[in-house]
Amino acid sequence: MGIQEQYRTDAANLLDSGAVKLVIGYGEGSTPERRRPIFIRSAEEVGRLVLDANCIANLSAYLVPEGLLSDGKSVAVFLKPDGIRSVNILAAEAQLNPEQVVILGFNIDAGLANPLPGRKANEFAPLLASLKSAGLSTDLQREADRLEQMTAVERFEYWKEQFSKCIKCYACRQVCPMCYCRRCIVDVNQPQWVNTSSHTLGNFEWNIIRAYHLAGRCVACGGCDRACPVNIPLRLLNHRMSKEALDTFDHFAGESADQKPVLATFRQDDPETFIL
Amino acid sequence: MTETFEPKIVAFVCTYCTYAGADLAGTSRMKYASNVRMVRLPCTGRISPMFILKALQKGADGVLVSGCHPGDCHFAQGNYHARRRWTVFRSLLAFTGIPEERIKFSWISAAEGAKFAELINSITDEIRALGPFEQYQELQKVIETQSTY
């Protein structure tokens, strides 16, 4: 039995037994290689679930809408390792109770989806520890190194060109499981911190503050990169922040549900090389 | 005759240490550069990175953020939290091409009036040498010319 059949059966069993009230998974999308999130509430519908190497979106973002988990019932969700890390972060930030999240874990390897054993976020701890020791993406690091070898003026020009394309659609925010604030800083208008129109300066501010708010929280699912209609390399900014959190504070986002958020904690002996 | 460039520097300081240190510099009649505009806040932990971006947006050539030495915070741990944020934010600014030489961080206690005066003088000299932050300010000018519709 393939992984898709197996997980359809698992989803049907979970729904039939009443263990979960909802299954969040992938369904057919608008083109053969696209998948869209679907929400299954009864066992008869599990035939709509699809699981293959095209299922790349991080579905953990669908766990945080207000009221979904407030009745104490559980929800099952298809997650890759990055999504499992997101669930851990959301739990650490008190946005959900990980006991209410049943994980249908899978990994995409060499064009195939493979099942990951485990049902609750804490059962994936060894997997996440191995991800931490494997380190961050070397491809992104190569690109980050290239930028860091430039002068500040050249780097500014590079980002100016990138950010000038931004149309402030906020798709990067909407797709991100970490952007759950009821009132985002860009929507605050007294004072107006970030200019609302999409000129380059306001775009700079928005993209800087977005990346900053993801410091030590981004799991590199790449959702923002894929959602961006003008192809700004958002993942690169996030990567730089993840690297800072990992190198300076040994913080690998979403390692466990009781990991303290990196900017909400401190050590007395944190490095301070730059302070006069 | 060419006028020397006088940088605008915005200083975000905590009221318990650096602001008191600045006060001491003043009551001790120490002279320091008049390029700095101070914004007093309850604690360095209150200083949002948005403040730094806003200062640059409004035409600052340099920003100073300063508060109590580690262990001296009036609120016990505000400056420890601030230190982590600065570490991360500073690297982000550098990565986006906003020179880290323009954003300064320091610890100045209420007793360090002399250190305050010296620091203000030295960072004013440094930022004067860097010149105005034209790359950023040009973007603001674009907005001002466009927003007349």
Side-chain angles (χ1 to χ4, degrees):
Chain A
M1 188 161 62
I3 179 174
Q4 178 171 292
E5 296 311 314
Q6 181 197 330
Y7 274 27
R8 278 180 183 173
T9 315
D10 289 352
N13 290 341
L14 284 166
L15 286 164
D16 266 342
S17 65
V20 301
K21 62 169 180 176
L22 172 72
V23 175
I24 306 174
Y26 302 91
E28 296 286 351
S30 49
T31 63
E33 69 280 4
R34 285 188 184 203
R35 299 291 169 258
R36 73 163 53 119
I38 57 169
F39 303 84
I40 304 284
R41 287 181 187 274
S42 74
E44 291 83 68
E45 294 176 79
V46 295
R48 288 166 58 207
L49 286 166
V50 175
L51 189 57
D52 58 21
N54 291 324
C55 300
I56 46 177
N58 179 354
L59 299 183
S60 61
Y62 296 99
L63 293 169
V64 285
E66 196 178 351
L68 177 66
L69 297 169
S70 55
D71 57 3
K73 292 183 184 157
S74 293
V75 168
V77 58
F78 284 73
L79 293 176
K80 289 187 294 149
D82 51 16
I84 301 169
R85 289 169 64 194
S86 299
V87 167
N88 276 337
I89 301 170
L90 292 168
E93 293 176 0
Q95 297 304 309
L96 53 76
N97 173 1
E99 290 304 311
Q100 281 178 265
V101 181
V102 177
I103 296 171
L104 297 164
F106 67 100
N107 210 346
I108 295 173
D109 190 26
L112 284 173
N114 303 305
L116 291 175
R119 278 289 182 260
K120 290 289 154 71
N122 57 12
E123 294 166 33
F124 296 91
L127 169 74
L128 301 185
S130 72
L131 287 180
K132 179 180 181 180
S133 46
L136 304 172
S137 155
T138 47
D139 289 347
L140 287 171
Q141 186 52 41
R142 215 168 298 125
E143 180 65 3
D145 285 342
R146 188 180 71 80
L147 281 181
E148 289 191 327
Q149 277 157 14
M150 296 177 176
T151 65
V153 174
E154 289 166 347
R155 234 180 355 256
F156 192 91
E157 285 303 317
Y158 171 82
W159 286 112
K160 188 169 124 183
E161 197 187 318
Q162 295 294 339
F163 294 154
S164 67
K165 300 186 289 188
C166 177
I167 53 171
K168 286 244 179 80
C169 62
Y170 301 133
C172 46
R173 175 184 73 179
Q174 297 312 113
V175 78
C176 184
M178 293 300 115
C179 281
Y180 53 71
C181 290
R182 301 276 166 75
R183 197 154 186 224
C184 177
I185 184 84
V186 288
D187 299 327
V188 175
N189 55 7
Q190 284 190 332
Q192 184 84 58
W193 288 111
V194 178
N195 286 295
T196 46
S197 61
S198 60
H199 49 63
T200 308
L201 181 65
N203 296 348
F204 247 96
E205 292 163 341
W206 158 242
N207 285 288
I208 286 175
I209 217 67
R210 192 197 63 83
Y212 172 72
H213 284 175
L214 288 178
R217 303 170 73 233
C218 175
V219 296
C221 68
C224 48
D225 239 41
R226 289 191 295 272
C228 184
V230 293
N231 296 323
I232 299 170
L234 297 167
R235 222 192 304 203
L236 194 54
L237 284 172
N238 300 346
H239 169 82
R240 183 66 190 81
M241 291 287 84
S242 301
K243 182 171 183 295
E244 192 68 34
L246 188 61
D247 290 357
T248 315
F249 306 118
D250 191 36
H251 182 97
F252 184 71
E255 220 185 332
S256 76
D258 38 46
Q259 179 189 42
K260 286 250 165 64
V262 68
L263 293 185
T265 182
F266 64 87
R267 286 167 53 99
Q268 292 199 343
D269 58 352
D270 277 338
E272 51 164 71
T273 49
F274 59 92
I275 299 177
L276 301 168
Chain B
M1 195 185 110
T2 53
E3 272 184 43
T4 46
F5 160 68
E6 288 300 334
K8 278 185 203 156
I9 298 168
V10 179
F12 296 105
V13 300
C14 93
T15 184
Y16 293 98
C17 291
T18 305
Y19 194 84
D23 230 7
L24 180 64
T27 49
S28 315
R29 298 280 182 269
M30 289 174 196
K31 277 199 173 175
Y32 59 87
S34 58
N35 303 54
V36 66
R37 280 79 165 160
M38 304 251 285
V39 181
R40 180 167 67 151
L41 292 145
C43 178
T44 41
R46 171 67 184 87
I47 298 169
S48 156
M50 282 315 302
F51 295 179
I52 298 174
L53 290 180
K54 198 76 174 170
L56 294 174
Q57 181 200 103
K58 295 295 175 193
D61 302 297
V63 177
L64 169 68
V65 181
S66 182
C68 308
H69 287 268
D72 288 357
C73 181
H74 181 82
F75 305 98
Q77 35 182 253
N79 54 0
Y80 287 120
H81 284 292
R83 184 170 63 185
R84 279 209 164 189
R85 284 184 216 154
W86 300 346
T87 307
V88 167
F89 193 59
R90 190 170 170 273
S91 69
L92 177 59
L93 289 182
F95 192 62
T96 51
I98 295 171
E100 47 210 328
E101 297 84 35
R102 293 189 185 273
I103 320 287
K104 304 281 185 187
F105 300 91
S106 72
W107 306 131
I108 295 174
S109 79
E112 293 176 322
K115 179 179 175 186
F116 179 82
E118 278 166 29
L119 183 79
I120 296 299
N121 285 333
S122 69
I123 67 171
T124 305
D125 287 344
E126 277 178 49
I127 291 170
R128 186 184 289 122
L130 289 174
F133 193 7
E134 276 168 353
Q135 261 186 322
Y136 209 82
Q137 287 157 8
E138 268 170 25
L139 297 179
Q140 176 68 16
K141 276 183 208 140
V142 172
I143 302 171
E144 280 160 8
T145 49
Q146 281 177 350
S147 60
T148 49
Y149 57 84

